[in-house]
Structure formats: C-alpha cells, structure tokens
Amino acid sequence: SSPRLIWYVDVDGWVINGYDYAEGHHADLSPGSPDLPRVRDAVTALGEELTPCPVNVPTLADQWGRLAAWRRIRRDGGVQGADSWIRENLDRFVAWEQDGLEALGRGDTLAHTDLHELNILVGSRVQVIDWAWSRRAPAWVDPAVLVVRLLAEGHSPDEAEAWAQGIPALRGASNGTVTAFAVTLLGVWEYVVRHSSGSHRQPLVDAARTWVHHRLAGLM
C-alpha cells in the first residue's frame, strides 16, 4: 500500500501534497533479511491493485523510447573509452533495446519504476512512497527493477531472480522479455552515469551489468 493523500495545494505552478504519516523503517533488501517476504507480498499486491492503470500517466515505453539509450550511446560515439564488452556487443544491445521497448508498450499497470530500499517502508504494513517516476507499464516492471537492487545489496543473480520470480507478474513474463528489459535498463543507467555526476550511481550500473551478463550467458 501507500500513504493516503489527505490534502494538496496547487498554486502558481507549485503542488504540495500532504499524506498520512507513514511509520516504519527503510526496507532491508540484503540476503537473509526478514523484510524480503513482506516486500515481495507488497509488490505483488501493488501490481494486482494497480492494473488496469487507475490514473492518466505517461508510459514508460514512451519515456525510455525517447531516450533510446543504447542507440544514443552508439550515435554519440559511446564506444570510445568503453570497455571491450560494450564495444563488442553494442549493436546487439541496440537490438535488444528495441525488443525491450516494444515489451514495455504491452502493459497497463501503474508501475512505480524506482523501487529501492529508501522508497519502501516496513512497519505494521509495507508502504511504498515517492511515486514521482510512476509510469504506465507492464506489471512485471517493478519486480524486474528490484532484481538490480537485490544484486546491489549482495544477492547472486540466481538468488535475486528466484526472489523476483515469486511475484506472479514477473513469473508470467517470457525469458526473452526479461532479458530485453535487463539490457534496456542497463542502457538507461549507462547513459545516466556518463552524463551526470554522482558516484552513488556506479554501484547500480555495476549491478545492472551483472544481471545482463547473467541473462546473456550462453547467448553471446
């Protein structure tokens, strides 16, 4: 669930929202955490309750399609200074990205798209906050995003995927769809880390790379 909106003010282009107080601690996503089953249940419930998408929001497919991160990296000469893995596989990543964007267009769920430990509060119930990046997307997007967060917290790829596969929406997605999404997500983060400062982003890029390596093992 999420904290209930109790009032809002819209003045001169500024919007201020007031919510119920949300008690709890930030979710612990590390291996063995007692929060993990509860977070999985909460993400499962969100996907079910927010399908079909109850509000008019942009689609994730349009947002990421305008960026087209891997195509942009290739167009901007992004292979220069890149490691050999990206240089050797950039054209394949562009193709996978196209598949990923097409898959993102096949869904009608209000997805958070930025789930991580700071946006999940665990108390008497699990609440998801900070919906600034919510988009219309397939229901499997949020559990797929969490795979990368689990990897960043120390899970192995097999462990992270096994946890996420406990969510029916992701379990129902094909292997090809999940792989295409993993490559597309990595492209977004690779582009972001190349064009903005902040060392805090690099561990997430590294985790996304780990997932793509795992997904593409034996395919390339």
Side-chain angles (χ1 to χ4, degrees), residues 135-163:
R135 296 290 185 270
R136 190 165 74 253
W140 49 259
V141 163
D142 280 339
V145 167
L146 276 169
V147 170
V148 176
R149 298 294 181 171
L150 292 175
L151 290 170
E153 290 298 314
H155 294 257
S156 71
D158 286 334
E159 291 169 342
E161 288 193 340
W163 179 90

Side-chain angles (χ1 to χ4, degrees), residues 1-24:
S1 65
S2 299
R4 181 175 62 94
L5 176 67
I6 54 179
W7 56 262
Y8 73 95
V9 177
D10 186 349
V11 178
D12 296 331
W14 290 89
V15 177
I16 303 175
N17 295 330
Y19 295 89
D20 281 340
Y21 173 73
E23 55 87 21

Side-chain angles (χ1 to χ4, degrees), residues 1-199:
S1 65
S2 299
R4 181 175 62 94
L5 176 67
I6 54 179
W7 56 262
Y8 73 95
V9 177
D10 186 349
V11 178
D12 296 331
W14 290 89
V15 177
I16 303 175
N17 295 330
Y19 295 89
D20 281 340
Y21 173 73
E23 55 87 21
H25 62 269
H26 294 300
D28 178 0
L29 300 180
S30 63
S33 166
D35 293 346
L36 289 171
R38 298 186 63 195
V39 170
R40 182 167 55 195
D41 289 345
V43 175
T44 298
L46 281 177
E48 294 171 351
E49 294 171 4
L50 297 178
T51 305
C53 185
V55 293
N56 184 21
V57 294
T59 68
L60 187 61
D62 285 345
Q63 179 190 3
W64 285 8
R66 287 193 299 271
L67 176 62
W70 284 121
R71 277 183 289 169
R72 196 178 296 255
I73 289 171
R74 183 175 64 179
R75 185 198 66 192
D76 294 345
V79 293
Q80 297 180 3
D83 58 54
S84 59
W85 183 62
I86 288 181
R87 291 198 305 270
E88 293 167 2
N89 294 295
L90 186 55
D91 289 340
R92 295 186 180 96
F93 292 163
V94 170
W96 278 108
E97 178 180 67
Q98 183 59 43
D99 291 343
L101 293 174
E102 291 176 1
L104 287 176
R106 300 190 294 268
D108 188 27
T109 297
L110 180 62
H112 186 283
T113 81
D114 191 30
L115 287 180
H116 54 77
E117 63 277 7
L118 298 182
N119 286 338
I120 304 172
L121 297 178
V122 180
S124 59
R125 57 190 178 128
V126 177
Q127 299 186 80
V128 175
I129 61 174
D130 194 358
W131 287 76
W133 292 104
S134 59
R135 296 290 185 270
R136 190 165 74 253
W140 49 259
V141 163
D142 280 339
V145 167
L146 276 169
V147 170
V148 176
R149 298 294 181 171
L150 292 175
L151 290 170
E153 290 298 314
H155 294 257
S156 71
D158 286 334
E159 291 169 342
E161 288 193 340
W163 179 90
Q165 287 289 333
I167 300 173
L170 185 62
R171 194 164 61 245
S174 70
N175 282 333
T177 292
V178 175
T179 299
F181 177 79
V183 173
T184 305
L185 179 63
L186 173 60
V188 171
W189 281 106
E190 284 280 356
Y191 184 84
V192 168
V193 81
R194 288 163 182 251
H195 292 85
S196 61
S197 60
S199 59

